[in-house]
Amino acid sequence: MTSPVRVRFAPSPTGYLHVGGARTALFNYLYARQHGGTFVLRIEDTDQDRNVEAALRGILEGLSWLGLRWDEGPEAGGPHGPYFQSERLKSYAEAARRLLHEGKAYRCFCDPADLKNRREAALARGEPPKYDRTCFRLTKQESDARAAKGDAYAIRFLIPEGETSWEDEVRGTVTFQNSTLDDLVILRTDQHPTYNFAAVVDDDAMRITHVLRGDDHISNTPRQIQLYRALGLTPPRFGHLPMILGPDGTRLSKRHGAVSVTAFRDDGILPQAMVNFLALLGWAYDGEREIFTIEELTQVFSLDRVSKNPAIFNYEKLDWMNGEYFRALPLSTRADLVAAYLESTGALKGPALRDRAFLERAVEAVGDRMKRPRQFLEYAAYLYVERVEPEPEPWAELLAKPSAAARLKKLASLLEEVQPFEHDPIEKATRGLAASEGVKAGEVIMPARIALTGKKVSPGIFDVILLLGRERTVERLRHAAERLEAESPARTS
Ligand code: GLU
């Protein structure tokens, strides 16, 4: 019988939840759910200098927003806590001392500044900057005596000779020559563990069966495997998830755009879309299907479809995917999201926003054009202003049409009278005008669109007219016609 799956996400609280971290969390979550296992959240906060509180909040908030609920960890508790490494210092010190007593680790009294110089000198000679084992050469008596005297020391792990291999869940067999590994410090002078050591001690204490993490950790894995062996423990399985690159093929960073999960949230990305998008960063189902709910992902996710090759973070694809989810939402939910966005940005205030029924009609008219709430104003800003200022390019186009002004005036007169002021009669009047002028409907509709919205792209013109209402429509059409006449270079008629 294999033991039940236990995986973990182990962020260092360094600022916010990066999309790379969120992808790692998601894959762990999916793997746990799929195997009826446990998803553990462990906070690797042994670096005291950082503002852990705020960063922790960012991580918990990001994970919760994505719906990646952890079974054990901060807030959730669990039988293998505490889940903050800063509260587990004793266990690292104990394990390090054990290795020391067994001769698998040794005290290092080297001065950090000195070490730095030696490392730099090695690099300058073109050698790997490995620790030169100065303190390994101390006799036991010398080492004990210095410790007894109170000399500060770190504890270093003695990397054995040979090589280290493992069957990676993603990459297959991976082998490192131990000669390339350093005798790493496992416990610092201040009794704090280093990442590799704390991770091993905790992954064992928390009974982690599968370590799925970014492949920037791949060179840590042989060190960790050696530590497991030295501690007499069986290592978990490892799977290294491919790196995430920006669209230009360099490592994803702020240069490319947003990278924190909460920034995407604040920019109107839906959690369902974010999860779906993250799932496809390094994993694919059949190379075709791309839309999956988190429940579906739990069914179809598998580690053997995780790619070894880097994944590209395509912002346009995320935008498209968000559109797929956004459009599928009920109208009232879309209106809620638009209202929340407009409110939070202060883009629209007061009475305009409070007219909920109107907002809903506007959202409905914008329809599929909108892929996220912030695009609402692109298609609807003219509904919320007294006067539109047409954009220069469409206006120039109108000016170039000598008959535009007259048609706008005629349309204004028709719409002033049309009864009832509803979609179909409005459409009939507009098309009737085009027919009587012997032109295509577009020759009336396009000028009207520019006059009413200031743009060449908008929701359906009859919806726009209805939303503006009779008075504002007529007023805008006439105003545009007058302006055209005034500005037209060829005032022939
Ligand atoms: N705290 C490490 C990080 O944030 C965890 C790496 C691991 O999963 O072992 O990169």
Side-chain angles (χ1 to χ4, degrees):
M1 271 278 297
T2 51
S3 44
V5 164
R6 289 180 59 85
V7 293
R8 88 303 194 269
F9 175 51
S12 310
T14 50
Y16 48 80
L17 183 60
H18 187 280
V19 285
R23 192 271 313 256
T24 300
L26 173 64
F27 283 23
N28 277 284
Y29 172 90
L30 294 175
Y31 196 72
R33 288 291 162 273
Q34 182 164 64
H35 292 89
T38 303
F39 175 48
V40 178
L41 174 62
R42 178 174 76 227
I43 306 298
E44 306 212 319
D45 61 344
T46 55
D47 193 343
Q48 299 295 314
D49 299 342
R50 296 176 167 145
N51 181 357
V52 175
E53 254 318 299
L56 176 65
R57 233 177 304 121
I59 291 167
L60 301 188
E61 217 179 282
L63 291 175
S64 304
W65 178 70
L66 291 169
L68 306 181
R69 196 61 213 163
W70 52 99
D71 306 303
E72 291 177 24
E75 293 173 353
H80 302 283
Y83 294 92
F84 290 86
Q85 288 192 325
S86 58
E87 295 170 26
R88 306 176 64 86
L89 297 181
K90 226 176 109 204
S91 62
Y92 314 127
E94 270 167 22
R97 296 213 173 270
R98 186 145 65 79
L99 292 180
L100 187 62
H101 288 299
E102 291 170 4
K104 294 171 181 163
Y106 57 93
R107 296 190 190 95
C108 177
F109 298 93
C110 292
D111 174 50
D114 210 27
L115 283 172
K116 191 164 165 263
N117 290 338
R118 268 142 61 188
R119 231 184 348 254
E120 279 163 10
L123 278 172
R125 288 194 304 271
E127 293 167 12
K130 277 171 52 173
Y131 179 58
D132 59 12
R133 290 193 164 167
T134 304
C135 289
F136 177 60
R137 288 189 289 272
L138 296 175
T139 64
K140 184 167 183 317
Q141 288 74 10
E142 283 169 323
S143 173
D144 289 349
R146 287 189 66 175
K149 185 154 72 74
D151 284 2
Y153 62 86
I155 298 181
R156 276 187 194 274
F157 178 54
L158 180 63
I159 288 278
E161 308 210 319
E163 60 176 33
T164 312
S165 255
W166 74 94
E167 277 310 307
D168 195 274
E169 299 283 329
V170 175
R171 300 184 154 237
T173 312
V174 182
T175 306
F176 275 81
Q177 296 305 316
N178 294 358
S179 58
T180 63
L181 310 175
D182 212 352
D183 281 356
L184 62 147
V185 168
I186 54 175
L187 203 68
R188 294 187 226 271
T189 317
D190 64 3
Q191 300 294 300
H192 277 72
T194 54
Y195 152 69
N196 277 303
F197 192 56
V200 165
V201 172
D202 285 348
D203 283 339
D204 178 68
M206 296 177 183
R207 309 274 187 274
I208 298 303
T209 56
H210 296 73
V211 169
L212 310 175
R213 61 183 168 207
D215 67 5
D216 47 331
H217 284 289
I218 206 154
S219 63
N220 287 321
T221 302
R223 297 172 166 88
Q224 295 183 10
I225 289 175
Q226 288 302 336
L227 283 166
Y228 279 104
R229 292 196 186 139
L231 289 164
L233 307 169
T234 313
R237 311 269 316 163
F238 292 94
H240 289 89
L241 312 175
M243 184 174 342
I244 302 174
L245 306 179
D248 62 354
T250 64
R251 210 191 168 85
L252 184 70
S253 77
K254 278 187 183 152
R255 272 182 307 113
H256 296 107
V259 287
S260 99
V261 166
T262 36
F264 285 103
R265 175 195 66 189
D266 297 342
D267 202 19
I269 295 294
L270 296 166
Q272 308 89 293
M274 193 81 221
V275 161
N276 192 156
F277 178 78
L278 290 173
L280 299 179
L281 286 179
W283 172 86
Y285 179 53
D286 55 6
E288 300 218 342
R289 181 172 164 197
E290 298 207 288
I291 298 292
F292 299 92
T293 64
I294 195 163
E295 292 76 24
E296 288 165 342
L297 286 169
T298 317
Q299 303 297 316
V300 299
F301 179 78
S302 77
L303 281 179
D304 41 270
R305 289 190 167 273
V306 173
S307 166
K308 296 188 195 49
N309 303 320
I312 306 282
F313 195 101
N314 183 338
Y315 287 85
E316 283 162 27
K317 182 167 172 181
L318 173 59
D319 198 43
W320 164 78
M321 197 168 265
N322 203 61
E324 297 294 301
Y325 282 93
F326 191 74
R327 282 172 203 143
L329 295 172
L331 176 60
S332 68
T333 312
R334 270 178 291 147
D336 283 343
L337 291 168
V338 168
Y341 175 78
L342 294 172
E343 200 143 358
S344 72
T345 56
L348 270 193
K349 294 192 199 77
L353 251 192
R354 281 201 292 276
D355 190 341
R356 170 64 195 212
F358 183 77
L359 179 71
E360 236 171 73
R361 283 172 59 209
V363 169
E364 188 170 29
V366 172
D368 282 2
R369 295 170 186 84
M370 184 169 34
K371 295 198 268 273
R372 54 173 101 183
R374 79 159 134 78
Q375 287 173 322
F376 176 71
L377 288 181
E378 264 173 55
Y379 296 104
Y382 52 84
L383 295 174
Y384 292 93
V385 290
E386 274 305 307
R387 283 252 154 111
V388 282
E389 276 306 319
E391 291 172 357
E393 202 197 315
W395 185 249
E397 218 169 286
L398 265 196
L399 268 178
K401 282 189 196 295
S403 43
R407 277 184 201 142
L408 288 177
K409 278 189 180 167
K410 285 184 197 160
L411 183 62
S413 303
L414 285 169
L415 295 181
E416 202 165 32
E417 301 298 329
V418 72
Q419 288 299 348
F421 194 75
E422 281 168 11
H423 187 284
D424 291 353
I426 293 171
E427 176 166 6
K428 207 167 149 220
T430 310
R431 294 193 187 280
L433 172 62
S436 70
E437 299 260 313
V439 294
K440 288 197 191 128
E443 292 296 313
V444 175
I445 289 174
M446 185 53 92
R449 190 189 303 285
I450 296 169
L452 297 175
T453 72
K455 291 169 176 264
K456 282 172 70 179
V457 183
S458 80
I461 192 68
F462 309 116
D463 291 330
V464 169
I465 291 172
L466 275 172
L467 283 162
L468 283 171
R470 195 193 299 267
E471 217 174 296
R472 275 205 290 175
T473 300
V474 170
E475 210 260 336
R476 280 186 196 190
L477 292 174
R478 293 217 164 110
H479 176 74
E482 281 156 21
R483 216 185 121 187
L484 279 176
E485 283 169 349
E487 288 179 26
S488 172
R491 267 200 271 167
T492 43
S493 54

